[in-house]
Amino acid sequence: MASDTVVVGRTATGRVALVSLRPDAEPLGTTEIDADALADAVSAREGAGEVRWIWADTAATYPPLLAVGVRVARAWDLRLVHVILRQAQAVADDHGLRGATEWDADTAAPAGGDTLFDLGDSASGVPDTADAAVVEYRRQIAAITSSETPGALRLLCAAESAGALVSVELHAAGVPWSRAAHEELLESELGARRGGGLPARIEQAAATVRTALGDPSASLDSQPRLLRSLHRAGLLVQSTSRWELAEHDHPAVAPLIAYKKLMRLYTANGWAWLDEWVRDDRFRPVYVPAGVVTGRWASSGGGALQIPRSLRTAVRADAGWTLVTADVAQLEPRVLAAVSRDTALAEAASGRDLYAGIVERGAVASRAEAKLAMLGAMYGATTGESGRLLPRLRRTFPRAMQLVDDAARTGEDGGVVHTWLGRTSPTAGESWRELQSRASDAAASGVDETRARRSARDRGRFTRNFVVQGTAAEWALAWLADLRARLAALPEVDATRAAPASGPVFQRRPHLAFFLHDEIVVHTPLEHADAVAEAVRESAASAGRLLFGTFPIDFPLDLRIGATAEKG
DNA sequence: TCTAAGTGCGCG
DNA sequence: AAAGCGCGCACTTAGA
């Protein structure tokens, strides 16, 4: 069934226009409504059949809809798609898209976002009128259609847009977060909260360090001063980082490491963090889709993507609900196997543990070596244990290694690379090119040459990793998008079982609560947990087929059902 | 007093 | 201090 396409944007008089488009993106007709009637209009259209909503910026337009209970099934985010297509190598004729610089405002999503009911308030700075949106959408479709890989690009843009919906929904639903469990952990680790001054356990650790250093006034928070204190006490370290301290045998080392650990918990995820980021037992981070050039998401505020694993004990389902958590085992090497069509690596990956499979094929002796070597291949290691193991990986998996080596070479030469679906790496910058051309000049100094070579290598490692990290991000988007649809199809529970803090759209049904590169958490009423687990597995399989067709690569999940998100 | 850069550490 | 990718945040010091 063909779906309707409706463009949403502001009119010159501050109202909202809904422009229906034909499949060829020709306008069919326009309805004009008051801005505060938008949610009802969207809701009515969603109820009547499949619609793809075209709008400038999901981060600006979708939150107010969700806030009043309106979910949409499909969207097209003009701002995010513009960034993809502007850059895409496969787009030969851009139909003026690259010149439409008013759409280049690829800034972070507006923080918070819940109050942006007025379409005109888009904080990202892209145009917000319906007219501009129609023009840009037609450019985008034309650019995709005339590209070398229209199918892949269309898929990428749809997945990116679905991800934008998910990012807003994750913020709206929030991670179920037990303030009580978090406080309990803080008190057991740090001691009681104190109004002024540090918690007792931190003070104690600091005192122990100062005694061991024989320096009662040693500063522990200023790196240069701490370094001097350590030197005076005979601890001849180059830095104050944990790994280096741990190599020395000195009475100050253990308490100093303990101090750093406690201080980190206190400053990054202590009571102040709780007060700022957790309300009504929900942690609501701001996700930034495609905030990383590879297509990975970033986050802004709350350190959403850096929550220490030890704190996941505070992630607790509401009463009568539970959590389904899942992460993909070795996503990136699996993606590499599929992209390079390396059947040997794919065979090693079949089953649960890809690294064990590499050992079985005789490439290296141990699982630890297999992991080290594989990470080295994807990150571009040249020295150390990892670098030494690479030739053995090259012999066993020549196709996969060729792909990453080629990507590195392209980057070193100043070229661009792209992911499986066609997200293209940034072009080499002006200063980078200057550095390279200065080094190839006849009069170049040795210093110039060294600097140029190093910067070329740096760029090579970036492009080497881009193809793998970026394609993994595409797989994850496909997983999210598919799972989102499956969850929406599960039945609601009755109002007595609702989780109101999850918001009007999600309080009565299973919903995504957290996403981090290759793992997800779903918050679900207890009776749907098994169905959710099945949906999570099916969507992973579906994502693999969507990207890689019949190529024999699987994406096994580590999946758990339980009231907390702790890893079992 | 503000900003930029350095350091260190949390996550994948 | 990282060998080897991508991030965000807290804290500090240096500099305008």
Side-chain angles (χ1 to χ4, degrees), chain A residues 256-425:
Chain A
L256 180 52
I257 289 174
Y259 172 86
K260 283 165 159 271
K261 206 171 188 75
L262 296 176
M263 199 62 176
R264 166 81 193 184
L265 176 62
Y266 176 68
T267 56
N269 298 103
W271 291 276
W273 182 89
L274 250 180
D275 290 343
E276 185 175 356
W277 291 101
V278 176
R279 245 181 274 292
D280 304 325
D281 276 347
R282 288 294 186 277
F283 169 43
R284 300 178 195 277
V286 176
Y287 296 89
V288 185
V292 183
V293 282
T294 59
R296 270 191 177 183
W297 289 11
S299 72
S300 132
L305 310 189
Q306 308 138 250
I307 299 296
R309 296 212 80 108
S310 67
L311 229 80
R312 295 190 186 187
T313 179
V315 180
R316 298 266 173 102
D318 287 3
W321 291 56
T322 192
L323 300 170
V324 177
T325 62
D327 63 79
V328 195
Q330 305 108 21
L331 175 57
E332 293 193 349
R334 287 171 194 279
V335 156
L336 173 57
V339 172
S340 63
R341 305 276 137 169
D342 190 318
T343 49
L345 185 55
E347 274 170 36
S350 82
R352 287 229 31 87
D353 185 359
L354 176 139
Y355 298 130
I358 292 177
V359 175
E360 276 164 32
R361 296 188 68 83
V364 293
S366 70
R367 187 182 187 282
E369 283 185 341
K371 183 171 181 176
L372 204 60
M374 189 49 80
L375 290 176
M378 295 186 301
Y379 293 164
T382 53
T383 63
E385 175 83 359
S386 184
R388 269 198 302 284
L389 291 165
L390 280 186
R392 316 182 49 178
L393 225 51
R394 283 206 175 82
R395 271 200 301 280
T396 317
F397 309 112
R399 294 192 65 142
M401 297 304 115
Q402 176 92 51
L403 187 130
V404 284
D405 288 345
D406 285 350
R409 169 66 72 83
T410 300
E412 286 179 20
D413 291 346
V416 296
V417 298
H418 61 80
T419 60
W420 182 246
L421 293 183
R423 194 187 306 264
T424 302
S425 67

Side-chain angles (χ1 to χ4, degrees), chain A residues 32-55:
Chain A
E32 226 184 275
I33 57 174
D34 287 331
D36 58 12
L38 177 61
D40 284 341
V42 170
S43 179
R45 293 298 298 264
E46 280 285 323
E50 240 177 69
V51 181
R52 188 182 290 281
W53 300 95
I54 317 295
W55 51 45

Side-chain angles (χ1 to χ4, degrees), chain A residues 51-321:
Chain A
V51 181
R52 188 182 290 281
W53 300 95
I54 317 295
W55 51 45
D57 185 4
T58 305
T61 305
Y62 194 31
L65 299 179
L66 270 184
V68 296
V70 177
R71 176 191 182 273
V72 307
R74 309 165 78 197
W76 185 272
D77 188 298
L78 293 168
R79 177 176 65 92
L80 292 171
V81 169
H82 181 91
V83 175
I84 291 173
L85 297 178
R86 176 195 29 161
Q87 208 61 32
Q89 202 175 22
V91 171
D93 179 354
D94 72 328
H95 292 264
L97 181 141
R98 293 192 176 102
T101 54
E102 70 275 20
W103 288 91
D104 280 347
D106 49 345
T107 53
D114 287 30
T115 59
L116 298 171
F117 196 66
D118 182 358
L119 280 164
D121 272 358
S122 165
S124 60
V126 295
D128 58 6
T129 66
D131 288 347
V134 169
V135 170
E136 172 63 14
Y137 181 64
R138 289 168 56 83
R139 278 194 292 253
Q140 293 185 356
I141 295 304
I144 291 172
T145 304
S146 62
S147 75
E148 293 157 34
T149 56
L153 278 182
R154 203 172 294 122
L155 184 54
L156 174 57
C157 295
E160 184 92 320
S161 299
L165 293 176
V166 172
S167 73
V168 172
E169 291 173 355
L170 284 168
H171 177 80
V175 187
W177 196 278
S178 165
R179 168 176 284 272
H182 190 151
E183 284 176 342
E184 202 174 304
L185 182 130
L186 291 179
E187 288 197 16
S188 76
E189 293 287 318
L190 307 177
R193 183 179 198 176
R194 288 187 185 172
L198 297 169
R201 298 280 292 278
I202 300 184
E203 295 280 24
Q204 286 158 15
T208 311
V209 174
R210 294 191 177 105
T211 304
L213 291 176
D215 183 351
S217 63
S219 162
L220 308 187
D221 299 323
S222 160
Q223 196 266 358
R225 286 196 276 172
L226 174 58
L227 198 57
R228 283 197 293 274
S229 279
L230 295 172
H231 289 173
R232 280 196 296 273
L235 251 172
L236 302 180
V237 287
Q238 308 284 312
S239 76
T240 64
S241 57
R242 185 156 72 221
W243 70 266
E244 193 185 358
L245 288 168
E247 286 176 352
H248 289 79
D249 186 23
H250 187 285
V253 167
L256 180 52
I257 289 174
Y259 172 86
K260 283 165 159 271
K261 206 171 188 75
L262 296 176
M263 199 62 176
R264 166 81 193 184
L265 176 62
Y266 176 68
T267 56
N269 298 103
W271 291 276
W273 182 89
L274 250 180
D275 290 343
E276 185 175 356
W277 291 101
V278 176
R279 245 181 274 292
D280 304 325
D281 276 347
R282 288 294 186 277
F283 169 43
R284 300 178 195 277
V286 176
Y287 296 89
V288 185
V292 183
V293 282
T294 59
R296 270 191 177 183
W297 289 11
S299 72
S300 132
L305 310 189
Q306 308 138 250
I307 299 296
R309 296 212 80 108
S310 67
L311 229 80
R312 295 190 186 187
T313 179
V315 180
R316 298 266 173 102
D318 287 3
W321 291 56

Side-chain angles (χ1 to χ4, degrees), chain A residues 336-543:
Chain A
L336 173 57
V339 172
S340 63
R341 305 276 137 169
D342 190 318
T343 49
L345 185 55
E347 274 170 36
S350 82
R352 287 229 31 87
D353 185 359
L354 176 139
Y355 298 130
I358 292 177
V359 175
E360 276 164 32
R361 296 188 68 83
V364 293
S366 70
R367 187 182 187 282
E369 283 185 341
K371 183 171 181 176
L372 204 60
M374 189 49 80
L375 290 176
M378 295 186 301
Y379 293 164
T382 53
T383 63
E385 175 83 359
S386 184
R388 269 198 302 284
L389 291 165
L390 280 186
R392 316 182 49 178
L393 225 51
R394 283 206 175 82
R395 271 200 301 280
T396 317
F397 309 112
R399 294 192 65 142
M401 297 304 115
Q402 176 92 51
L403 187 130
V404 284
D405 288 345
D406 285 350
R409 169 66 72 83
T410 300
E412 286 179 20
D413 291 346
V416 296
V417 298
H418 61 80
T419 60
W420 182 246
L421 293 183
R423 194 187 306 264
T424 302
S425 67
T427 49
E430 189 66 30
S431 60
W432 188 91
R433 286 183 187 288
E434 256 171 49
L435 192 59
Q436 299 305 318
S437 61
R438 189 150 13 105
S440 58
D441 197 277
S445 70
V447 177
D448 282 341
E449 284 171 9
T450 306
R451 282 181 57 202
R453 198 182 329 272
R454 199 186 56 201
S455 122
R457 293 275 153 76
D458 288 347
R459 188 158 193 280
R461 286 194 305 278
F462 167 66
T463 50
R464 167 191 292 271
N465 187 247
F466 184 97
V467 295
V468 179
Q469 186 184 119
T471 303
E474 285 166 353
W475 183 92
L477 279 179
W479 185 32
L480 278 181
D482 192 87
L483 176 57
R484 173 180 185 271
R486 289 178 197 269
L487 294 181
L490 292 175
E492 291 193 323
V493 294
D494 65 67
T496 62
R497 306 278 318 285
S502 293
V505 171
F506 303 114
Q507 60 186 342
R508 288 171 57 187
R509 61 166 76 254
H511 57 262
L512 277 156
F514 189 66
F515 167 62
L516 179 53
H517 307 319
D518 64 356
E519 64 179 272
I520 53 101
V521 177
V522 177
H523 190 214
T524 176
L526 275 167
E527 65 263 45
H528 295 320
D530 289 337
V532 167
E534 191 54 25
V536 169
R537 288 200 189 88
E538 282 174 0
S539 54
S542 168

